[in-house]
Amino acid sequence: MSFYITTAIDYVNAQPHLGHAYEKISTDVLARHKRQRGEDVFFLTGTDEHGEPVADAARDQGIEPRVLADRNAERFKKLAARLNVSNDFFIRTTDPQHETMVQEVLLRVYRNGHVYKGIYEGWYCPRCADFKVENEILEGNLCPIHEIPLTRESEENWFFRLSSFQERLVRLYAEQPDFVMPRHHYNEALSFIDSGLQDVSLSRAKLKWGVQVPWDPSHVFYVWFDALLNYYTALTYARAGEDLTARYWPATYHVIGKDILKFHTVYWPALLMAAELDLPHHVFVHGFLLGADGRKMSKSLGNVLDPFEVLDQFGTDALRFYLMRDVPFGADGAVGMAAVRTRYDTELANEYGNLASRTIAMIARYTNGHIPDVATDSALASEFDVLPAEVAAVLDRADPTRALDLIWHRVRRLNRYVEERSPWELARSPDDADRLRETLASLGEGLRAVSVLLHPYMPETTERLLGALGSPATEFDRALFAEHGSGARISPLEPLFPKQ
Ligand code: MSP
């Protein structure tokens, strides 16, 4: 089965912050999990490089937009690599193939009669690249997201007839109640549609930094239309000489933050209808990482946590774990260095790391470096029986936090099992030899099974551990707790999460 998953593409007007990292990691967990289950996954991420946000930032720095885009796109790419994000392609909206496809699709929309010329006047936020409606504007005429002054803009634009898709959108929402998840965001999108859709501007006349409108070269497309189409255009050129559209379109999941809900749940399906393209199956909406001040982490509010700093101090898997564990997917959550340290010390080092090092050390010492090839403890095994199916079901609802919690309960269960069985006591009496072997076979097996499930969250750490357990396979069916110890030879393991 094919599974096409995307993240939002990030603006290159500034450097990446932890909020960007959060979205890429959550999407990666879902993509890796689906790959474990043998699905034919395509995972797309990238950068959004046109429009006012980038043109203005470049102007402020006295450089060409292209130079700023090149510089920051590199940083986003580097971040994705450091986060160990397993994207299959990284799109940049300045890729010439993307630009050509945007023109092609939007020309079709124009020819299909969904575009007309008109005058737009309204309050505009240059950071959002979006006009604001009166009831969302903050006191003092500020943008509700960036809290910067809005500007009054009026210009001749090409318009997209969004209003004419009202009925079809209402029908889509009725027929596909899981089109937008979680549910409260579905309701939010639907009530936006129900409140009456207005046509939206499709082009900008003042701006030069964008994709040229093919039927009116004095205009460039409004950045959001160019950006949204990335999900479609990427498939046409991600693989040289191959068009992946038939294989992966439409997208299975678009993962986005709640500030860009309207674009993905209203504009995007309408645009696809206008272009006669199939609609995505689901849009998954996550919340915001909040800075220490309790507000959305954002470059314009100056409360950002630098992901590279966290990575340097704690490492990739610790950051991945921390974000998936501490910020329930779909909700907002405050983040900070102190909280990363707490999770690192209490859970990664003391619970998982310690379980791994104790288990390996005891197998080395008591059973000659081999995981005993004997029956595992069936009572313990039964507590793990349903786990893989539960984790898969929860991840199918795009809830990586809940799935991680289910897995973590079993990590704790294994630590309790060590205490209950006290292998060091059993080792003292030859009468307990069988019980000791059963205990170590079960611990080895339990640790292996939870590590397979943890693999999408912490790929590098779990690979090291599974390697040391002599069972490197990470396919999903390997997450079952086997009735027999593996008999594999273990090898030494450096601490997974060294004390800092
Ligand atoms: N370029 C647009 C998206 C176009 S998608 C066709 C954009 N870029 S962005 O850089 O501002 O944000 C990219 C993604 O990061 C969005 O999904 C956004 O919600 C997410 N986040 C930005 N700040 C965030 C937090 N503080 N916390 C969590 N996610 C955040 O919007």
Side-chain angles (χ1 to χ4, degrees):
M1 211 166 77
S2 80
F3 179 82
Y4 178 27
I5 185 165
T6 66
T7 69
I9 50 173
D10 301 321
Y11 283 133
V12 288
N13 55 341
Q15 305 199 25
H17 61 67
L18 207 60
H20 299 121
Y22 174 65
E23 180 175 285
K24 280 45 190 184
I25 292 170
S26 354
T27 314
D28 189 50
V29 169
L30 300 175
R32 285 180 181 271
H33 168 74
K34 289 289 187 177
R35 281 197 206 99
Q36 276 189 311
R37 279 161 67 182
E39 295 194 20
D40 177 18
V41 174
F42 194 84
F43 173 12
L44 180 71
T45 189
T47 41
D48 185 357
E49 307 194 359
H50 291 129
E52 271 95 345
V54 179
D56 289 357
R59 194 199 48 225
D60 292 348
Q61 295 179 35
I63 54 177
E64 286 300 312
R66 174 94 228 177
V67 175
L68 181 67
D70 284 348
R71 184 186 301 160
N72 281 334
E74 244 351 274
R75 293 185 170 131
F76 279 98
K77 269 191 181 168
K78 202 166 115 198
L79 177 64
R82 282 270 323 255
L83 295 172
N84 207 356
V85 166
S86 62
N87 54 301
D88 295 286
F89 188 59
F90 190 101
I91 188 169
R92 296 184 55 186
T93 54
T94 49
D95 292 341
Q97 302 96 319
H98 166 77
E99 296 184 353
T100 308
M101 271 314 277
V102 166
Q103 290 178 321
E104 206 170 285
V105 175
L106 291 175
L107 188 58
R108 190 154 76 231
V109 171
Y110 173 73
R111 287 192 176 138
N112 285 349
H114 302 298
V115 174
Y116 65 95
K117 204 166 204 179
I119 300 281
Y120 199 100
E121 190 177 344
W123 291 106
Y124 185 79
C125 170
R127 290 268 169 69
C128 293
D130 190 19
F131 284 96
K132 300 289 157 186
V133 291
E134 294 294 339
N135 64 8
E136 51 179 348
I137 295 173
L138 299 184
E139 233 185 273
N141 223 12
L142 303 179
C143 165
I145 294 170
H146 297 98
E147 302 179 23
I148 57 169
L150 300 172
T151 53
R152 192 73 187 168
E153 300 269 342
S154 155
E155 66 172 31
E156 201 177 49
N157 279 178
W158 289 98
F159 278 72
F160 172 58
R161 286 187 205 281
L162 182 64
S163 60
S164 70
F165 290 91
Q166 170 113 10
E167 253 172 54
R168 285 182 69 184
L169 288 170
V170 169
R171 212 176 321 132
L172 163 73
Y173 276 68
E175 284 165 6
Q176 278 190 53
D178 56 0
F179 179 61
V180 181
M181 297 208 264
R183 189 70 189 177
H184 61 277
H185 287 302
Y186 167 95
N187 292 333
E188 185 187 339
L190 184 56
S191 74
F192 181 82
I193 297 167
D194 282 340
S195 72
L197 296 178
Q198 291 173 9
D199 295 343
V200 288
S201 83
L202 175 73
S203 74
R204 313 282 293 151
K206 285 187 197 129
L207 191 71
K208 294 279 157 284
W209 180 239
V211 177
Q212 211 173 45
V213 174
W215 63 88
D216 181 355
S218 65
H219 283 230
V220 297
F221 285 114
Y222 172 42
V223 63
W224 267 101
F225 287 93
D226 159 8
L228 285 164
L229 280 168
N230 90 88
Y231 304 129
Y232 179 72
T233 65
L235 295 178
T236 64
Y237 69 97
R239 293 277 169 281
E242 201 182 342
D243 188 340
L244 299 172
T245 314
R247 181 158 159 202
Y248 293 112
W249 191 260
T252 324
Y253 292 0
H254 291 309
V255 178
I256 58 155
K258 64 181 184 181
D259 51 337
I260 54 176
L261 177 89
K262 175 181 74 181
F263 298 102
H264 285 81
T265 60
V266 183
Y267 291 22
W268 180 225
L271 178 65
L272 290 169
M273 289 170 185
E276 298 169 279
L277 294 170
D278 288 339
L279 306 190
H281 296 301
H282 309 286
V283 179
F284 280 110
V285 186
H286 63 76
F288 289 153
L289 298 195
L290 309 176
D293 55 1
R295 295 196 296 175
K296 180 195 174 201
M297 188 177 287
S298 126
K299 53 229 162 196
S300 44
L301 297 177
N303 60 354
V304 301
L305 204 55
D306 177 1
F308 290 104
E309 208 175 296
V310 188
L311 287 165
D312 287 342
Q313 192 165 342
F314 295 100
T316 298
D317 282 352
L319 174 62
R320 292 173 63 105
F321 174 82
Y322 167 72
L323 288 177
M324 292 302 94
R325 187 113 170 101
D326 237 29
V327 185
F329 202 63
D332 293 348
V335 293
M337 276 301 214
V340 187
R341 167 162 301 284
T342 305
R343 289 282 182 195
Y344 185 96
D345 289 343
T346 57
E347 297 188 332
L348 291 176
N350 288 349
E351 294 181 348
Y352 187 55
N354 204 15
L355 173 68
S357 53
R358 290 210 279 184
T359 302
I360 297 260
M362 290 189 293
I363 292 169
R365 180 145 169 216
Y366 301 133
T367 53
N368 244 336
H370 283 274
I371 299 173
D373 179 13
V374 300
T376 49
D377 181 342
S378 56
L380 182 69
S382 71
E383 294 181 49
F384 285 73
D385 271 357
V386 287
L387 182 61
E390 270 182 335
V391 166
V394 170
L395 285 176
D396 281 344
R397 297 198 304 270
D399 192 348
T401 315
R402 170 89 188 116
L404 182 53
D405 198 45
L406 291 169
I407 305 167
W408 213 255
H409 272 99
R410 304 322 200 273
V411 170
R412 292 188 171 149
R413 176 67 190 100
L414 291 171
N415 273 318
R416 284 204 311 279
Y417 189 70
V418 176
E419 300 306 324
E420 281 164 21
R421 287 280 174 121
S422 302
W424 49 92
E425 303 279 349
L426 300 175
R428 287 208 193 115
S429 151
D431 291 348
D432 288 328
D434 284 349
R435 200 166 161 81
L436 177 62
R437 290 164 64 76
E438 181 194 71
T439 302
L440 294 180
S442 307
L443 278 174
E445 186 52 22
L447 184 56
R448 194 197 56 71
V450 292
S451 299
V452 171
L453 292 173
L454 286 173
H455 185 253
Y457 296 87
M458 299 191 283
E460 198 203 316
T461 305
T462 50
E463 276 164 29
R464 273 175 61 203
L465 175 53
L466 290 167
L469 290 172
S471 299
T474 56
E475 287 81 12
F476 197 70
D477 57 8
R478 303 283 296 149
L480 276 176
F481 193 113
E483 288 175 7
H484 249 257
S486 71
R489 177 163 189 82
I490 52 143
S491 44
L493 180 71
E494 293 292 311
L496 296 177
F497 297 99
K499 285 265 183 290
Q500 302 223 347

